């Protein structure tokens, strides 16, 4: 027995983690795939019935699916870009030495410690049309009031602002770690050559941080793409389905109309989209890292 353990020691130590991953990842994905290939409506009381992938044809041929997908892509792009730009900018500031730096870091990280539901409810108070804080500020400086989450045109940017406020600290943390690990020689050489801080950032710092930025960007993209709790707490997909992302659409299909087969189909399509986009981003990242010399 001891000889067997010594010979396969790497598998002995990794087996618990492997079993956990299979139980928590592979099993749910497999079950969702099985459900998606069956017609399963609890209101009918007939149980699951294999339908040869008809759910996929019905979902992909429906306009509601594509509308929800477009909303998801719009929301994800808006929030991810905003988080990355703000995160990099704040990290560059916090990477400098100044008085009260640790206090500022603590304040910046506070939103990340809050639950998404609490953030959603708090921002709904800010967005309240008649007595909300933001409209009070707008009117104080002479700007017109905004409907925020009550209007179709502004609901997605309003939710994306709340998402950005809460999750930008995560980008700041990763970017600060990346900045602190950069080699100082190229930066010092750029300063000696007379490069301005902006030139140094774009020509030296940014290329060196390519791998870090792509990693956190991919993580944030996936996280925002599958966002549910914040949007549900703020609008539940309204007004008039203007903020109904794919996750909310799948939830509504399953728990309002009890079409679990159709809902599982949407989730499988969402999974495939995220998987393909992630693979594409990682390939681009690998090429850029090779281009900039690793």
């Amino acid at each position: 027995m001891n000889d067997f353990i010594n010979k396969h020691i790497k598998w002995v130590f990794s087996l618990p983690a492997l079993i956990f991953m299979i139980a928590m990842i592979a099993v749910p994905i497999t079950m969702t795939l099985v459900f998606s290939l069956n017609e399963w409506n609890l209101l009918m009381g007939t149980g699951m019935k294999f339908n040869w992938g008809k759910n996929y044809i019905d979902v992909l041929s429906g306009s509601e699916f594509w509308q929800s997908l477009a909303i998801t892509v719009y929301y994800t792009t808006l929030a991810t870009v905003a988080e990355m730009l703000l995160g990099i900018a704040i990290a560059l500031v916090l990477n400098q030495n100044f008085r009260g730096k640790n206090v500022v870091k603590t304040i910046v990280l506070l939103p990340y410690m809050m639950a998404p539901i609490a953030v959603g409810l708090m921002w709904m108070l800010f967005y309240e049309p008649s007595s909300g804080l933001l409209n009070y500020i707008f009117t104080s400086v002479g700007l017109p009031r905004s409907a925020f989450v009550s209007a179709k045109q502004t609901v997605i940017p309003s939710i994306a602002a709340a998402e950005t406020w809460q999750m930008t600290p995560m980008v700041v943390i990763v970017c600060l770690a990346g900045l602190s690990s950069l080699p100082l020689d190229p930066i010092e050489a750029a300063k000696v050559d007379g490069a301005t801080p902006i030139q140094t950032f774009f020509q030296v710092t940014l290329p060196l941080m390519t791998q870090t930025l792509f990693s956190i960007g991919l993580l944030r993209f996936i996280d925002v793409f599958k966002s549910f709790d914040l949007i549900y707490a703020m609008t539940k997909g309204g007004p008039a389905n203007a903020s109904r992302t794919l996750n909310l659409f799948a939830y509504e299909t399953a728990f309002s109309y009890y079409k679990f087969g159709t809902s599982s189909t949407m989730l499988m399509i969402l999974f495939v989209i995220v998987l393909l986009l992630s693979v594409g981003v990682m390939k681009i990242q690998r090429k850029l890292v090779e281009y900039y010399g690793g």
Side-chain angles (χ1 to χ4, degrees):
M1 185 65 181
N2 289 335
D3 292 339
F4 176 83
I5 293 177
N6 292 331
K7 189 178 296 185
H8 301 88
I9 191 68
K10 60 180 180 180
W11 296 108
V12 171
F13 282 105
S14 61
L15 189 60
L18 184 62
I19 294 174
F20 178 81
M21 289 181 62
I22 293 175
M24 300 303 295
I25 299 176
V27 172
I29 292 175
T30 303
M31 292 178 64
T32 304
L33 177 62
V34 171
F35 295 157
S36 70
L37 296 173
N38 287 270
E39 184 178 348
W40 186 19
N41 190 332
L42 290 185
L43 293 178
M44 303 299 293
T46 56
M48 291 191 297
K49 182 180 179 181
F50 187 71
N51 61 3
W52 303 94
K54 183 177 177 295
N55 288 337
Y56 288 90
I57 298 175
D58 293 340
V59 168
L60 293 174
S61 61
S63 60
E64 288 186 306
F65 169 80
W66 295 106
Q67 179 186 1
S68 294
L69 178 60
I71 293 171
T72 305
V73 172
Y74 174 39
Y75 172 71
T76 302
T77 304
L78 196 62
T80 304
V81 171
E83 289 174 19
M84 292 299 296
L85 292 177
L86 281 174
I88 295 170
I90 295 172
L92 288 171
V93 173
L94 294 180
N95 195 48
Q96 307 299 318
N97 292 321
F98 56 89
R99 182 176 298 178
K101 178 179 177 179
N102 291 332
V103 176
V104 175
K105 277 185 179 181
T106 303
I107 295 173
V108 168
L109 295 178
L110 284 177
Y112 188 54
M113 302 177 186
M114 299 178 64
I117 298 295
V119 171
L121 295 176
M122 181 183 71
W123 276 82
M124 285 299 289
L125 293 176
F126 293 163
Y127 287 146
E128 210 283 322
S130 59
S131 59
L133 175 63
L134 292 180
N135 271 330
Y136 173 77
I137 296 174
F138 283 5
T139 54
S140 298
V141 296
L143 295 175
R145 289 178 174 269
S146 174
F148 294 115
V149 294
S150 301
K152 296 175 66 174
Q153 294 78 13
T154 56
V155 61
I156 290 298
S158 299
I159 301 174
E163 175 83 32
T164 301
W165 179 83
Q166 183 186 18
M167 299 309 299
T168 294
M170 178 182 179
V171 181
V172 174
I173 294 171
V174 176
C175 288
L176 272 176
L179 287 170
S180 63
S181 64
L182 293 181
L184 297 178
D185 292 344
I187 298 175
E188 294 296 332
K191 291 180 179 179
V192 170
D193 291 340
T196 64
I198 295 178
Q199 290 174 327
T200 303
F201 172 73
F202 282 104
Q203 297 179 16
V204 180
T205 305
L206 195 59
L208 290 174
M209 287 191 64
T210 299
Q211 191 166 0
T212 300
L213 294 177
F214 265 89
S215 298
I216 185 57
L218 179 60
L219 290 175
R220 290 307 310 136
F221 176 85
I222 294 174
D223 195 35
V224 178
F225 201 89
K226 60 185 181 65
S227 178
F228 173 84
D229 40 11
L230 179 65
I231 304 174
Y232 188 81
M234 295 183 70
T235 64
K236 293 182 173 63
N241 296 329
S243 62
R244 187 178 66 177
T245 59
L246 272 181
N247 279 301
L248 267 73
F249 190 22
Y251 175 85
E252 178 185 303
T253 303
F255 296 101
S256 295
Y257 302 104
Y258 299 100
K259 296 180 180 180
F260 286 92
T262 305
S263 176
S264 298
T265 301
M266 296 178 190
L267 294 176
M268 283 305 303
I269 295 174
L270 180 65
F271 171 74
V272 172
I273 291 173
V274 172
L275 181 63
L276 293 177
L277 289 174
S278 301
V279 171
V281 169
M282 286 189 289
K283 286 186 176 181
I284 295 173
Q285 174 190 0
R286 191 179 302 113
K287 290 182 179 180
L288 284 176
V289 171
E290 291 174 356
Y291 176 78
Y292 286 119

